[in-house]
Amino acid sequence: MAKINLLGRSLHLPRHPALRMALGGGMVAGGVLGFLPVLGFWMVPVGLAILAVDLPPVRRAQRRGVVALGGWLHRRFPAQAARFGYGPRRATRDAADHST
């Protein structure tokens, strides 16, 4: 069963790829109309996370965003970074190259 993790919570998704893509596309489309009373802008990132399960370009973009968010959280709010599941910061390649 496919599932995604958002902010430390696990959400189960439909098994069929067409249903996941329809759900993700619907969430993104609804999020674009977030100014309406029932819909919200929060639907865009959730829809993109659902689409990332089946679409490699979206998955790569999501991974870059997650890594960037983790680095920002570690710099600004280390306790919250640990709470949301970001482990300890790793040394960067440049820092490891200059240490020897």
Side-chain angles (χ1 to χ4, degrees):
M1 176 172 276
K3 65 180 180 176
I4 58 173
N5 294 316
L6 292 171
L7 299 174
R9 309 231 177 190
S10 181
L11 300 172
H12 295 283
L13 299 175
R15 292 178 192 245
H16 200 278
L19 288 175
R20 284 194 303 262
M21 291 182 70
L23 178 65
M27 294 285 281
V28 171
V32 170
L33 301 173
F35 57 87
L36 295 173
V38 176
L39 307 172
F41 294 112
W42 60 270
M43 295 171 71
V44 174
V46 174
L48 289 174
I50 293 170
L51 287 173
V53 173
D54 295 314
L55 300 174
V58 178
R59 187 171 32 244
R60 284 190 292 271
Q62 179 197 23
R63 182 65 185 151
R64 278 190 225 112
V66 167
V67 170
L69 176 66
W72 181 79
L73 277 174
H74 274 292
R75 284 190 304 275
R76 300 286 303 258
F77 308 103
Q80 298 299 345
R83 181 174 163 213
F84 288 132
Y86 292 99
R89 266 191 96 164
R90 295 185 194 172
T92 61
R93 241 184 245 170
D94 294 334
D97 291 340
H98 296 296
S99 64
T100 56

